[in-house]
Amino acid sequence: MKWRIFLLSLVLALPRPSPAATQNRFIVRATLGLQALTQLCALPTLGCTVVGGLDGSLNQLFLLTTPSTVDPNVFLALLKATAGIVDAELDQVLSLVAGLNKVVTPYPSGLSDTTLVTYYSSSVWHGYVNQPAAAKVQVANAQNTFSVTGAGIVADIDTGVDPSHPAFTGVLLQGYDFTRNQQGASEMNDLTSTDFPTPPSTTCSGSTCSPAIVNQQSAAILDQQSAAILDTNAKYAAFGHGTMVMGVIHLVAPQAKLLPLKAFKSDGTGYLSDILRAIYYAVQNNAKIVNMSFEFKVSSPDPELQTAISYANQLGVVCSASVGNDAQLNPSVYPAGFTTAVMGIASTSDLDTQSSFTNYGNAIVFVAAPGEAIITTYPFASYAAGWGTSFSAPFVSGGASLLVNKQPNIIHSAAASAIAHADVVGPNLGNGRLNLVLALGSLTPPTSSSDFDISAAPSTLSITAGQSASYSASVTPVGGFKGTVSLTCSGAPTLTTCSISPTQLTLDGTNPAVATVTLTTTAHSSFPPIAPQRFVPPPPTAKLLAKLFAYLLVCVILWRLARIPRKRVLLTAGVVLPLALLCTSCGGSTSSSSSSGGTNPPPPTQQGTPQGAFTITVTGTSANLTHTTNVMLKVN
């Protein structure tokens, strides 16, 4: 292995031309931490740059870049052979713009129904609230029957949102723009001053604006000049997508908090690394539902996307995603393909027929929802009609928020079980078409006791002794629980410290709170400790006197030998020397041995956290309430 690393290092160390403008991007899972990974990248053999972390407080997933002149395959091979690197892959560019979904004319009549009405705390168009798709899934009936209007935070990973749209008054959170690494998720920032020296009018009505195609899947009420710019310019191929999706969520759950996460540009492209960041960001900022109105086709699932989805699922987050618009049977699409952790949503018409463009098949479709001519919000305080499974998925995400309203501690599996109570409308559409009344009616009555649940993710982490492992512990209120929960951990192996930040979480009765659990291990020493010297007790006084007598006797004999004839020397020596040896040994041995009662010291032991698998228990305590959750730590 070492000679391979040496050869790869030589290849990367060869003189290279000056870096080009573009860079190679890599998603790297490591146990080193940000600082150590940065130092590793500074080595000439690697020559990479750590852009930053991708998994928030977990501090184990990072984005690295190299100059485009570096062979990415050689770099990946060298990186994977480096101690502390768990896995690495080349970042991917994904796209929202694909499929067979097209705008269909004539446009739905609701686009011309511009009368303003009050919809809970906001002012919206009448055609938006009273559209056929909302009636088909029984939005108003579900809200009124069960007294639910949405609860919790619903995150949408998309192109962003128009933050000034009046429909979102009072419910829109700031969000984050991962394409620019800044707070806020406004997709209005994608408009250039060259294309739009003056923004389109925000007072469009039937008299000044009319429906016009603005991209493949959408027709918006907009002035014709602005519509033409959007429709003919590829860099705006997905502009408005996030605002439209968020509008469907708001239609179903008008009082849910909306968290826009901008991971795609207006042309519809986005990096896988930004999608991963958005998922971890959503979970660690208390999102209860994550909507993913995108999909990409691959032969096998991306492991880091699967890890991120699993992380969300383990912390109780409800996930839904569109299955795509290629009219294919059971295609390999993700994230909808993670069927145990994500609900894949197909599209139907308002007449309960399978949409011609939707992907289908019970292997990927969990339920279907309307996805044709969906009237929803659009930038510039306007409205649009959209076609595609992108607009089917948010019906389910909004429905999940209604379930949270009725049962705040609901987790993904329970929410999916409820939503599976749907209207059967034909084969290949999973459990059928979404019916919010049936879904809400299937829930058992909420518990009357006030309590909390605790969970932690990921379930298992593997590290090398000397490294740290971080888990997210989520505490969720049950039955409106409000109070402070103290967190402790146990089960850590020897020479390992467990810390929790913060150690106390205050619950508001609705939203979960998250703490970070960090286990810091101790590295094995390079050399075993020096064995302690054996203690030999001093000989007794009798032994010392015996030795002294023998010494004096030898001295006397030697003095006498010097005065007698040579022929007596050998005879005298033959008698005296054995006698002297006998006197010397008569005092016994001074060495420590088992026969003399001595004890050998134990062999030296290796220092550091021991290898093995350890179950770590995180305990939450509030007054007389105590709950625990377990995670696994594997030390190599």
Side-chain angles (χ1 to χ4, degrees):
M1 178 62 73
K2 291 184 178 179
W3 67 268
R4 292 182 182 175
I5 297 177
F6 175 72
L7 290 178
L8 289 171
S9 301
L10 286 179
V11 171
L12 288 178
L14 290 174
R16 300 190 289 263
S18 58
T22 58
Q23 293 181 313
N24 298 322
R25 297 163 58 100
F26 302 90
I27 299 170
V28 179
R29 179 167 290 279
T31 58
L32 302 173
L34 180 60
Q35 183 176 358
L37 187 60
T38 301
Q39 294 173 349
L40 180 66
C41 265
L43 297 175
T45 52
L46 286 178
C48 50
T49 300
V50 181
V51 178
L54 300 178
D55 58 354
S57 61
L58 297 182
N59 198 35
Q60 294 172 354
L61 192 66
F62 305 91
L63 177 65
L64 272 60
T65 61
T66 65
S68 60
T69 51
V70 174
D71 187 326
N73 293 321
V74 173
F75 178 78
L76 279 173
L78 177 59
L79 199 61
K80 290 180 179 180
T82 304
I85 303 298
V86 178
D87 200 7
E89 63 178 279
L90 194 64
D91 199 2
Q92 303 179 50
V93 178
L94 311 178
S95 180
L96 286 170
V97 182
L100 304 175
N101 51 316
K102 303 286 186 182
V103 173
V104 177
T105 55
Y107 303 120
S109 58
L111 277 183
S112 60
D113 188 358
T114 61
T115 302
L116 293 177
V117 297
T118 299
Y119 190 55
Y120 294 91
S121 60
S122 61
S123 180
V124 300
W125 287 4
H126 185 266
Y128 163 69
V129 176
N130 291 280
Q131 61 179 298
K136 180 61 66 174
V137 300
Q138 301 197 55
V139 170
N141 193 11
Q143 293 171 349
N144 296 330
T145 301
F146 297 96
S147 299
V148 290
T149 52
I153 297 174
V154 185
D156 178 43
I157 302 173
D158 219 300
T159 61
V161 71
D162 178 358
S164 61
H165 200 293
F168 303 134
T169 301
V171 297
L172 189 65
L173 302 176
Q174 183 180 32
Y176 197 87
D177 185 344
F178 297 97
T179 68
R180 293 182 173 86
N181 288 314
Q182 64 184 30
Q183 294 290 332
S186 174
E187 61 180 329
M188 311 305 285
N189 293 332
D190 291 332
L191 300 178
T192 66
S193 57
T194 302
D195 296 323
F196 293 93
T198 58
S201 171
T202 59
T203 57
C204 273
S205 65
S207 58
T208 59
C209 301
S210 59
I213 294 176
V214 290
N215 55 47
Q216 169 185 300
Q217 63 193 8
S218 309
I221 301 293
L222 205 61
D223 65 87
Q224 297 300 312
Q225 180 180 0
S226 298
I229 294 173
L230 293 172
D231 189 38
T232 58
N233 196 327
K235 65 183 177 182
Y236 299 124
F239 177 77
H241 190 274
T243 301
M244 295 176 70
V245 169
M246 199 68 90
V248 178
I249 298 172
H250 181 62
L251 173 66
V252 179
Q255 293 191 318
K257 296 297 183 182
L258 306 176
L259 179 64
L261 301 175
K262 182 173 172 57
F264 292 89
K265 300 177 182 177
S266 61
D267 64 358
T269 62
Y271 284 108
L272 172 61
S273 57
D274 285 338
I275 293 172
L276 296 175
R277 291 174 68 195
I279 294 172
Y280 286 107
Y281 183 96
V283 176
Q284 293 171 13
N285 283 272
N286 299 325
K288 187 62 180 175
I289 300 106
V290 174
N291 183 83
M292 295 171 284
S293 286
F294 59 86
E295 70 290 325
F296 58 103
K297 298 173 66 175
V298 289
S299 57
S300 59
D302 179 83
E304 286 302 339
L305 180 60
Q306 187 169 14
T307 298
I309 294 292
S310 177
Y311 171 75
N313 190 244
Q314 290 170 4
L315 291 178
V317 177
V318 182
C319 299
S320 62
S322 53
V323 298
N325 308 305
D326 303 303
Q328 294 182 0
L329 174 65
N330 292 324
S332 180
V333 292
Y334 295 92
F338 300 123
T339 54
T340 60
V342 179
M343 290 180 283
I345 315 302
S347 172
T348 54
S349 71
D350 292 337
L351 299 176
D352 274 342
T353 59
Q354 179 179 308
S355 297
S356 61
F357 53 78
T358 187
N359 289 334
Y360 58 97
N362 296 330
I364 61 165
V365 177
F366 187 79
V367 293
E372 298 182 22
I374 304 303
I375 300 171
T376 184
T377 50
Y378 191 77
F380 319 115
S382 187
Y383 288 79
W387 282 255
T389 56
S390 286
F391 310 115
S392 303
F395 275 105
V396 175
S397 296
S401 179
L402 299 183
L403 296 176
V404 172
N405 203 163
K406 186 177 180 183
Q407 196 172 94
N409 63 324
I410 197 168
I411 62 175
H412 175 85
S413 58
S417 296
I419 289 172
H421 290 76
D423 290 328
V424 178
V425 293
N428 297 314
L429 292 178
N431 292 289
R433 191 255 305 129
L434 176 68
N435 185 318
L436 295 173
V437 170
L438 293 180
L440 286 160
S442 70
L443 289 181
T444 56
T447 176
S448 58
S449 61
S450 183
D451 203 342
F452 66 89
D453 286 334
I454 183 171
S455 59
S459 59
T460 302
L461 281 177
S462 296
I463 62 172
T464 302
Q467 299 170 343
S468 297
S470 294
Y471 306 82
S472 285
S474 178
V475 181
T476 304
V478 176
F481 176 85
K482 295 181 180 180
T484 299
V485 178
S486 299
L487 299 177
T488 58
C489 65
S490 59
T494 57
L495 297 177
T496 299
T497 59
C498 182
S499 59
I500 302 179
S501 179
T503 57
Q504 291 186 331
L505 297 174
T506 301
L507 302 182
D508 61 4
T510 301
N511 299 305
V514 179
T516 300
V517 180
T518 303
L519 287 140
T520 303
T521 59
T522 303
H524 293 155
S525 57
S526 301
F527 301 97
I530 299 174
Q533 295 183 349
R534 295 180 300 174
F535 171 74
V536 180
T541 303
K543 294 181 180 180
L544 290 175
L545 292 175
K547 290 182 178 182
L548 178 61
F549 173 76
Y551 173 72
L552 293 174
L553 180 61
V554 171
C555 291
V556 171
I557 293 173
L558 290 176
W559 179 77
R560 295 287 296 174
L561 287 176
R563 302 180 60 185
I564 62 179
R566 181 183 301 272
K567 62 182 179 180
R568 296 180 181 176
V569 171
L570 295 177
L571 177 61
T572 305
V575 174
V576 172
L577 290 179
L579 178 61
L581 292 174
L582 178 61
C583 291
T584 303
S585 62
C586 68
S589 172
T590 60
S591 64
S592 176
S593 65
S594 59
S595 62
S596 61
T599 303
N600 290 324
T605 57
Q606 188 80 357
Q607 300 298 305
T609 300
Q611 298 179 359
F614 304 91
T615 299
I616 310 300
T617 300
V618 180
T619 302
T621 303
S622 181
N624 61 337
L625 298 175
T626 299
H627 297 287
T628 63
T629 186
N630 294 328
V631 292
M632 182 69 70
L633 174 68
K634 295 182 179 179
V635 181
N636 301 315

